[in-house]
Amino acid sequence: MADLRSTIAGIRSPNPFWLASAPPTDKAYNVVRAFKAGWGGVVWKTLGEDPPVVNVSSRYGAHLDTDRRMIGFNNIELISDRPLAVNLQEIIEVKRDWPDRAMVVSLMATMTESAWAGLARRIAETGAADGLELNLGCPHGMCERGMGSAIGQVPEMVEQVTRWVKNAVNLPVIVKLTPNITNILWSAEAARRGGADAISLINTVNSIVAVDLDAMAPTPVVDGKGSHGGYCGPAVKPIALNMVAEIARNPDTHGMPVSGIGGITTWRDAAEFLALGATNVQVCTAAMTYGFKIVEDMIGGLSNWMDGKGYRTLDELSGRAVRNVVNWNDLNMNFSTKAVIDPALCIDCGRCHIVCEDTSHQAIRIDQGEGRRVFTVVNEECVGCNLCSHVCPVPDCITMVPEQTDLPYVTWPNDARNPMRVPEAAAE
C-alpha cells in the first residue's frame, strides 16, 4: 500500500490532505471533527491583531451549473473574528490532543515589522504551531486596509514580510500567494528571496460571482449592496494548476516546496497538483460543500491509484509531469490526432455535428442509417481540436486517436511553414 505520509518544509502529517485556512478551520470544534475524519493537517483560519474584525451578513455567493452543482464559490468574509487569545488557547488544546497532525497557523498584519513579528511571536510562544502561513492573498476587505493582496501584489513587500517573520521566529514559514497578479513568478521568487521555507497557492481570485437581478446588486447581497469577493472551488483549479507548474519549472523557484490549493475536490485533483510539483494539497470548498468525510475518498482513491501506478511514496509522484510542461513553441508541429466516433455508443444526439459544423471545421458528416442518423468524421477536415469529444454526453463514444506518421518532431521555430523561421534553427 502506498505510503501517504507527507513532509513539507519539515512539517509532517500522516497524509497530504490539509484543510486550508478558512471557515472549516476557525475553531477547535471544527478542527477536531476534521482530524477525526482523517485530515492530515490544518491551516488555522487567519489570525490578526486585536480587536477582532467584524464580519457582515451575508458572506457567500455561488456559481452553479444547470444541474445546481457548485462549480465556483465566492466569499466576502474576513479573517478570524474571534479574539486572538481564544484562538491561541484552542490551538494549544487541539495540538495537545492531536500531536501527529500538522498544525499550521495563518496570520495577517499591517505592513510594519512590529505587527508581523509581534503576531508571529505570539503564535510561536504557544509551542503548538508546526509552522506559520503568511496570508498575503486575501482579495477583499483586508486589502482595502492595506493587508492581504495589497501586500501580496507587491514583490518587494512579499520579500520584506517574509524576512520579518523569519527573523522573528524559529518556525517554518509558508507564504500564501495571491493569483491576482500578472506573473505569479514575481511573488514566488520574492518569497524565496525573503527566506520562505515553502509557498502555498492559490489564494482566492477576485470576483463578482453573480448579480441579483431583483436587488440589482452583486451577490452575496448585504442590505441591497454587494462587493467583490474571493472566488474558489472547482472553477479555479485550472488557474491554480498552471501557476503551480510555472513555479515548478522556473529555474529560480524550481524545487521550492509548494502546498497546492485551488478547487481540489477529488483524489484525482490532488494527484494532478502533486504531479505538477506540489508537495501536499490544501482543501476548502470541497469540505464546505460535502463535509469533512470527503477526505476518506481522497485518501483511499489516491492510495489505490498510486498502488496501481507503482508509486510507493509521494516523493515518487511529486513533479512527475513537470518535464512535460513546455512553452507553445516547443510543441511538435507534426503531431496529428483525429476524432473517432463509436457508432455502437452513439445516441444520435447530434451535438458533435452541431458544434463542428457551426463553430469548428465542418468535419463530421451525417448519413441516414437504419432508423437513426450515423455520424462519421471526415479525416481530411478534422484538425483534432477535441471539441466534439468534449461536448459528447456519452463517455468514450468519441475518442481522439493519434495518426501514425514517420514525420520528425518539429517545433514552430524550426518549421518550414514559419515565415519568421530563424535560419540557424532551420539549418539544424
Side-chain angles (χ1 to χ4, degrees):
M1 187 173 180
D3 183 354
L4 293 188
R5 286 178 297 178
S6 170
T7 302
I8 179 170
I11 304 169
R12 297 179 180 177
S13 57
N15 63 61
F17 299 105
W18 293 3
L19 282 172
S21 170
T25 64
D26 73 340
K27 59 173 71 76
Y29 178 83
N30 285 346
V31 174
V32 168
R33 287 174 58 83
F35 284 165
K36 287 181 178 177
W39 292 90
V42 298
V43 180
W44 198 278
K45 184 174 169 73
T46 304
L47 307 185
E49 296 179 296
D50 286 333
V53 301
V54 179
N55 276 299
V56 294
S57 175
S58 67
R59 305 176 191 178
Y60 303 145
H63 183 193
L64 308 178
D65 67 10
T66 53
D67 296 324
R68 285 196 57 78
R69 289 181 303 180
M70 190 183 295
I71 57 176
F73 189 71
N74 170 292
N75 83 90
I76 58 172
E77 188 169 298
L78 304 180
I79 62 175
S80 176
D81 53 10
R82 306 165 74 228
L84 179 59
V86 172
N87 277 303
L88 296 179
Q89 183 58 38
E90 290 189 1
I91 289 168
I92 293 171
E93 294 167 359
V94 173
K95 184 61 180 179
R96 179 195 62 205
D97 295 339
W98 298 86
D100 68 322
R101 310 302 170 92
M103 175 66 76
V104 175
V105 180
S106 175
L107 63 155
M108 178 190 289
T110 55
M111 191 58 202
T112 65
E113 182 174 7
S114 60
W116 278 100
L119 190 54
R121 290 192 187 102
R122 289 284 304 274
I123 297 168
E125 286 167 358
T126 65
D130 296 310
L132 303 177
E133 184 180 81
L134 313 185
N135 184 342
L136 305 183
C138 184
H140 52 85
M142 303 308 291
C143 56
E144 296 164 14
R145 307 176 190 185
M147 292 181 269
S149 62
I151 295 175
Q153 291 171 333
V154 183
E156 292 79 7
M157 291 185 179
V158 173
E159 180 179 348
Q160 184 65 76
V161 168
T162 306
R163 184 168 291 115
W164 284 340
V165 176
K166 284 294 295 181
N167 289 338
V169 296
N170 187 27
L171 281 175
V173 171
I174 302 170
V175 178
K176 189 172 185 178
L177 304 180
T178 175
N180 302 300
I181 191 169
T182 305
N183 187 339
I184 194 64
L185 297 180
W186 297 341
S187 49
E189 292 170 0
R192 169 164 270 189
R193 288 195 302 271
D197 299 283
I199 52 178
S200 56
L201 69 158
I202 58 174
N203 208 311
T204 51
V205 181
N206 214 349
S207 61
I208 289 179
V209 75
V211 174
D212 184 323
L213 292 178
D214 294 319
M216 278 297 169
T219 61
V221 179
V222 181
D223 193 20
K225 299 187 183 300
S227 179
H228 63 94
Y231 195 45
C232 54
V236 309
K237 175 189 157 190
I239 300 170
L241 284 176
N242 176 58
M243 290 185 169
V244 169
E246 288 299 291
I247 290 169
R249 71 192 188 100
N250 174 44
D252 292 332
T253 50
H254 176 73
M256 194 172 189
V258 173
S259 188
I261 312 168
I264 296 166
T265 307
T266 68
W267 69 264
R268 181 178 291 276
D269 297 330
E272 293 175 15
F273 273 85
L274 295 168
L276 285 179
T279 307
N280 75 353
V281 294
Q282 297 183 32
V283 178
C284 174
T285 305
M288 295 182 72
T289 306
Y290 302 109
F292 287 145
K293 288 188 176 180
I294 194 174
V295 74
E296 296 175 0
D297 290 338
M298 292 180 177
I299 293 171
L302 181 62
S303 179
N304 290 336
W305 176 79
M306 288 176 62
D307 286 342
K309 292 293 184 180
Y311 296 121
R312 293 167 299 178
T313 67
L314 295 174
D315 286 342
E316 293 182 1
L317 166 60
S318 180
R320 289 294 292 262
V322 175
R323 63 178 180 270
N324 292 322
V325 182
V326 299
N327 293 333
W328 194 97
N329 270 357
D330 295 320
L331 297 173
N332 182 8
M333 303 301 296
N334 280 334
F335 178 77
S336 176
T337 183
K338 303 290 185 184
V340 175
I341 301 173
D342 184 342
L345 295 176
C346 179
I347 60 173
D348 192 11
C349 70
R351 291 189 62 187
C352 60
H353 170 76
I354 292 170
V355 297
C356 189
E357 192 70 15
D358 287 358
T359 68
S360 293
H361 298 88
Q362 299 76 52
I364 296 180
R365 186 181 71 234
I366 303 178
D367 299 309
Q368 292 302 319
E370 296 181 0
R372 68 174 194 175
R373 299 175 296 178
V374 175
F375 298 88
T376 306
V377 176
V378 181
N379 272 357
E380 294 75 16
E381 302 298 334
C382 179
V383 301
C385 73
N386 289 14
L387 180 60
C388 57
S389 67
H390 291 317
V391 301
C392 179
V394 181
D396 301 324
C397 179
I398 300 179
T399 54
M400 304 305 299
V401 179
E403 282 193 311
Q404 297 299 319
T405 71
D406 296 325
L407 298 175
Y409 195 111
V410 172
T411 63
W412 180 242
N414 294 332
D415 194 306
R417 295 166 291 186
N418 178 4
M420 303 297 289
R421 184 169 47 145
V422 179
E424 292 78 7
E428 292 178 358

PDB file of all heavy atoms in Angstrom, residues 178-199:
ATOM      1  N   THR A 178      -1.121  35.293  -3.799  1.00  0.00           N
ATOM      2  CA  THR A 178      -2.349  35.686  -4.476  1.00  0.00           C
ATOM      3  C   THR A 178      -2.244  35.402  -5.973  1.00  0.00           C
ATOM      4  O   THR A 178      -1.194  35.649  -6.582  1.00  0.00           O
ATOM      5  CB  THR A 178      -2.649  37.179  -4.264  1.00  0.00           C
ATOM      6  OG1 THR A 178      -3.804  37.531  -5.057  1.00  0.00           O
ATOM      7  CG2 THR A 178      -1.495  38.068  -4.676  1.00  0.00           C
ATOM      8  N   PRO A 179      -3.346  34.912  -6.584  1.00  0.00           N
ATOM      9  CA  PRO A 179      -3.350  34.762  -8.046  1.00  0.00           C
ATOM     10  C   PRO A 179      -3.676  36.062  -8.761  1.00  0.00           C
ATOM     11  O   PRO A 179      -3.596  36.120  -9.990  1.00  0.00           O
ATOM     12  CB  PRO A 179      -4.454  33.730  -8.265  1.00  0.00           C
ATOM     13  CG  PRO A 179      -5.433  34.032  -7.171  1.00  0.00           C
ATOM     14  CD  PRO A 179      -4.591  34.422  -5.974  1.00  0.00           C
ATOM     15  N   ASN A 180      -4.045  37.097  -7.997  1.00  0.00           N
ATOM     16  CA  ASN A 180      -4.454  38.358  -8.603  1.00  0.00           C
ATOM     17  C   ASN A 180      -3.234  39.215  -8.929  1.00  0.00           C
ATOM     18  O   ASN A 180      -3.046  40.323  -8.385  1.00  0.00           O
ATOM     19  CB  ASN A 180      -5.404  39.084  -7.652  1.00  0.00           C
ATOM     20  CG  ASN A 180      -6.617  38.240  -7.326  1.00  0.00           C
ATOM     21  OD1 ASN A 180      -7.378  37.863  -8.210  1.00  0.00           O
ATOM     22  ND2 ASN A 180      -6.782  37.908  -6.061  1.00  0.00           N
ATOM     23  N   ILE A 181      -2.420  38.682  -9.813  1.00  0.00           N
ATOM     24  CA  ILE A 181      -1.160  39.316 -10.181  1.00  0.00           C
ATOM     25  C   ILE A 181      -0.833  38.908 -11.613  1.00  0.00           C
ATOM     26  O   ILE A 181      -1.258  37.836 -12.071  1.00  0.00           O
ATOM     27  CB  ILE A 181      -0.042  38.894  -9.197  1.00  0.00           C
ATOM     28  CG1 ILE A 181       1.212  39.729  -9.388  1.00  0.00           C
ATOM     29  CG2 ILE A 181       0.240  37.414  -9.292  1.00  0.00           C
ATOM     30  CD1 ILE A 181       2.236  39.525  -8.273  1.00  0.00           C
ATOM     31  N   THR A 182      -0.104  39.743 -12.307  1.00  0.00           N
ATOM     32  CA  THR A 182       0.188  39.452 -13.713  1.00  0.00           C
ATOM     33  C   THR A 182       1.047  38.208 -13.866  1.00  0.00           C
ATOM     34  O   THR A 182       0.819  37.367 -14.741  1.00  0.00           O
ATOM     35  CB  THR A 182       0.903  40.652 -14.360  1.00  0.00           C
ATOM     36  OG1 THR A 182       0.104  41.820 -14.161  1.00  0.00           O
ATOM     37  CG2 THR A 182       1.117  40.424 -15.841  1.00  0.00           C
ATOM     38  N   ASN A 183       2.074  38.055 -13.043  1.00  0.00           N
ATOM     39  CA  ASN A 183       3.007  36.946 -13.175  1.00  0.00           C
ATOM     40  C   ASN A 183       3.279  36.364 -11.798  1.00  0.00           C
ATOM     41  O   ASN A 183       3.876  37.029 -10.948  1.00  0.00           O
ATOM     42  CB  ASN A 183       4.319  37.425 -13.819  1.00  0.00           C
ATOM     43  CG  ASN A 183       5.264  36.286 -14.131  1.00  0.00           C
ATOM     44  OD1 ASN A 183       5.167  35.194 -13.561  1.00  0.00           O
ATOM     45  ND2 ASN A 183       6.184  36.527 -15.055  1.00  0.00           N
ATOM     46  N   ILE A 184       2.838  35.129 -11.557  1.00  0.00           N
ATOM     47  CA  ILE A 184       2.972  34.515 -10.237  1.00  0.00           C
ATOM     48  C   ILE A 184       4.443  34.331  -9.853  1.00  0.00           C
ATOM     49  O   ILE A 184       4.775  34.261  -8.658  1.00  0.00           O
ATOM     50  CB  ILE A 184       2.244  33.155 -10.200  1.00  0.00           C
ATOM     51  CG1 ILE A 184       2.064  32.667  -8.757  1.00  0.00           C
ATOM     52  CG2 ILE A 184       2.977  32.121 -11.030  1.00  0.00           C
ATOM     53  CD1 ILE A 184       1.176  33.539  -7.905  1.00  0.00           C
ATOM     54  N   LEU A 185       5.324  34.291 -10.827  1.00  0.00           N
ATOM     55  CA  LEU A 185       6.744  34.066 -10.519  1.00  0.00           C
ATOM     56  C   LEU A 185       7.347  35.239  -9.760  1.00  0.00           C
ATOM     57  O   LEU A 185       8.281  35.067  -8.973  1.00  0.00           O
ATOM     58  CB  LEU A 185       7.531  33.802 -11.808  1.00  0.00           C
ATOM     59  CG  LEU A 185       7.121  32.544 -12.581  1.00  0.00           C
ATOM     60  CD1 LEU A 185       7.964  32.394 -13.835  1.00  0.00           C
ATOM     61  CD2 LEU A 185       7.252  31.309 -11.699  1.00  0.00           C
ATOM     62  N   TRP A 186       6.806  36.443  -9.982  1.00  0.00           N
ATOM     63  CA  TRP A 186       7.367  37.609  -9.296  1.00  0.00           C
ATOM     64  C   TRP A 186       7.241  37.456  -7.778  1.00  0.00           C
ATOM     65  O   TRP A 186       8.191  37.691  -7.035  1.00  0.00           O
ATOM     66  CB  TRP A 186       6.650  38.884  -9.753  1.00  0.00           C
ATOM     67  CG  TRP A 186       6.812  39.197 -11.208  1.00  0.00           C
ATOM     68  CD1 TRP A 186       7.785  38.702 -12.038  1.00  0.00           C
ATOM     69  CD2 TRP A 186       5.978  40.041 -12.012  1.00  0.00           C
ATOM     70  NE1 TRP A 186       7.610  39.194 -13.312  1.00  0.00           N
ATOM     71  CE2 TRP A 186       6.514  40.018 -13.321  1.00  0.00           C
ATOM     72  CE3 TRP A 186       4.856  40.812 -11.750  1.00  0.00           C
ATOM     73  CZ2 TRP A 186       5.945  40.741 -14.369  1.00  0.00           C
ATOM     74  CZ3 TRP A 186       4.280  41.540 -12.793  1.00  0.00           C
ATOM     75  CH2 TRP A 186       4.820  41.501 -14.078  1.00  0.00           C
ATOM     76  N   SER A 187       6.057  37.066  -7.316  1.00  0.00           N
ATOM     77  CA  SER A 187       5.859  36.942  -5.868  1.00  0.00           C
ATOM     78  C   SER A 187       6.491  35.655  -5.333  1.00  0.00           C
ATOM     79  O   SER A 187       6.986  35.628  -4.200  1.00  0.00           O
ATOM     80  CB  SER A 187       4.371  36.992  -5.525  1.00  0.00           C
ATOM     81  OG  SER A 187       3.629  36.111  -6.327  1.00  0.00           O
ATOM     82  N   ALA A 188       6.496  34.590  -6.136  1.00  0.00           N
ATOM     83  CA  ALA A 188       7.131  33.341  -5.685  1.00  0.00           C
ATOM     84  C   ALA A 188       8.637  33.548  -5.482  1.00  0.00           C
ATOM     85  O   ALA A 188       9.219  33.093  -4.490  1.00  0.00           O
ATOM     86  CB  ALA A 188       6.875  32.231  -6.696  1.00  0.00           C
ATOM     87  N   GLU A 189       9.257  34.224  -6.436  1.00  0.00           N
ATOM     88  CA  GLU A 189      10.690  34.491  -6.312  1.00  0.00           C
ATOM     89  C   GLU A 189      10.974  35.420  -5.135  1.00  0.00           C
ATOM     90  O   GLU A 189      11.976  35.266  -4.430  1.00  0.00           O
ATOM     91  CB  GLU A 189      11.213  35.087  -7.620  1.00  0.00           C
ATOM     92  CG  GLU A 189      11.193  34.100  -8.780  1.00  0.00           C
ATOM     93  CD  GLU A 189      11.491  34.761 -10.125  1.00  0.00           C
ATOM     94  OE1 GLU A 189      11.718  35.997 -10.139  1.00  0.00           O
ATOM     95  OE2 GLU A 189      11.476  34.050 -11.144  1.00  0.00           O
ATOM     96  N   ALA A 190      10.081  36.382  -4.898  1.00  0.00           N
ATOM     97  CA  ALA A 190      10.253  37.294  -3.769  1.00  0.00           C
ATOM     98  C   ALA A 190      10.170  36.546  -2.443  1.00  0.00           C
ATOM     99  O   ALA A 190      10.933  36.813  -1.504  1.00  0.00           O
ATOM    100  CB  ALA A 190       9.193  38.395  -3.824  1.00  0.00           C
ATOM    101  N   ALA A 191       9.229  35.595  -2.362  1.00  0.00           N
ATOM    102  CA  ALA A 191       9.104  34.802  -1.137  1.00  0.00           C
ATOM    103  C   ALA A 191      10.382  34.003  -0.884  1.00  0.00           C
ATOM    104  O   ALA A 191      10.863  33.913   0.247  1.00  0.00           O
ATOM    105  CB  ALA A 191       7.902  33.873  -1.244  1.00  0.00           C
ATOM    106  N   ARG A 192      10.931  33.435  -1.940  1.00  0.00           N
ATOM    107  CA  ARG A 192      12.188  32.667  -1.773  1.00  0.00           C
ATOM    108  C   ARG A 192      13.325  33.580  -1.325  1.00  0.00           C
ATOM    109  O   ARG A 192      14.097  33.217  -0.445  1.00  0.00           O
ATOM    110  CB  ARG A 192      12.538  31.949  -3.076  1.00  0.00           C
ATOM    111  CG  ARG A 192      13.939  31.359  -3.081  1.00  0.00           C
ATOM    112  CD  ARG A 192      14.153  30.348  -4.181  1.00  0.00           C
ATOM    113  NE  ARG A 192      13.795  28.999  -3.714  1.00  0.00           N
ATOM    114  CZ  ARG A 192      14.031  27.884  -4.404  1.00  0.00           C
ATOM    115  NH1 ARG A 192      14.610  27.950  -5.585  1.00  0.00           N
ATOM    116  NH2 ARG A 192      13.707  26.707  -3.914  1.00  0.00           N
ATOM    117  N   ARG A 193      13.398  34.763  -1.924  1.00  0.00           N
ATOM    118  CA  ARG A 193      14.460  35.700  -1.510  1.00  0.00           C
ATOM    119  C   ARG A 193      14.306  36.087  -0.038  1.00  0.00           C
ATOM    120  O   ARG A 193      15.304  36.316   0.665  1.00  0.00           O
ATOM    121  CB  ARG A 193      14.420  36.965  -2.381  1.00  0.00           C
ATOM    122  CG  ARG A 193      14.899  36.766  -3.802  1.00  0.00           C
ATOM    123  CD  ARG A 193      15.167  38.120  -4.478  1.00  0.00           C
ATOM    124  NE  ARG A 193      13.993  38.982  -4.508  1.00  0.00           N
ATOM    125  CZ  ARG A 193      13.087  38.990  -5.486  1.00  0.00           C
ATOM    126  NH1 ARG A 193      13.228  38.176  -6.529  1.00  0.00           N
ATOM    127  NH2 ARG A 193      12.054  39.819  -5.442  1.00  0.00           N
ATOM    128  N   GLY A 194      13.068  36.174   0.432  1.00  0.00           N
ATOM    129  CA  GLY A 194      12.819  36.541   1.819  1.00  0.00           C
ATOM    130  C   GLY A 194      13.098  35.425   2.804  1.00  0.00           C
ATOM    131  O   GLY A 194      13.048  35.651   4.015  1.00  0.00           O
ATOM    132  N   GLY A 195      13.335  34.215   2.280  1.00  0.00           N
ATOM    133  CA  GLY A 195      13.674  33.098   3.159  1.00  0.00           C
ATOM    134  C   GLY A 195      12.543  32.136   3.416  1.00  0.00           C
ATOM    135  O   GLY A 195      12.633  31.311   4.348  1.00  0.00           O
ATOM    136  N   ALA A 196      11.482  32.186   2.625  1.00  0.00           N
ATOM    137  CA  ALA A 196      10.348  31.278   2.839  1.00  0.00           C
ATOM    138  C   ALA A 196      10.805  29.826   2.760  1.00  0.00           C
ATOM    139  O   ALA A 196      11.633  29.460   1.918  1.00  0.00           O
ATOM    140  CB  ALA A 196       9.263  31.544   1.805  1.00  0.00           C
ATOM    141  N   ASP A 197      10.230  29.010   3.631  1.00  0.00           N
ATOM    142  CA  ASP A 197      10.522  27.576   3.599  1.00  0.00           C
ATOM    143  C   ASP A 197       9.642  26.863   2.580  1.00  0.00           C
ATOM    144  O   ASP A 197       9.976  25.758   2.141  1.00  0.00           O
ATOM    145  CB  ASP A 197      10.284  26.979   4.991  1.00  0.00           C
ATOM    146  CG  ASP A 197      11.184  27.616   6.032  1.00  0.00           C
ATOM    147  OD1 ASP A 197      12.375  27.250   6.064  1.00  0.00           O
ATOM    148  OD2 ASP A 197      10.709  28.489   6.780  1.00  0.00           O
ATOM    149  N   ALA A 198       8.519  27.457   2.254  1.00  0.00           N
ATOM    150  CA  ALA A 198       7.599  26.886   1.261  1.00  0.00           C
ATOM    151  C   ALA A 198       6.633  27.989   0.849  1.00  0.00           C
ATOM    152  O   ALA A 198       6.573  29.054   1.481  1.00  0.00           O
ATOM    153  CB  ALA A 198       6.828  25.705   1.840  1.00  0.00           C
ATOM    154  N   ILE A 199       5.901  27.732  -0.219  1.00  0.00           N
ATOM    155  CA  ILE A 199       4.833  28.642  -0.623  1.00  0.00           C
ATOM    156  C   ILE A 199       3.551  27.840  -0.784  1.00  0.00           C
ATOM    157  O   ILE A 199       3.587  26.612  -0.983  1.00  0.00           O
ATOM    158  CB  ILE A 199       5.154  29.382  -1.942  1.00  0.00           C
ATOM    159  CG1 ILE A 199       5.548  28.386  -3.046  1.00  0.00           C
ATOM    160  CG2 ILE A 199       6.237  30.412  -1.740  1.00  0.00           C
ATOM    161  CD1 ILE A 199       5.825  29.034  -4.373  1.00  0.00           C
TER     162      ILE A 199
END
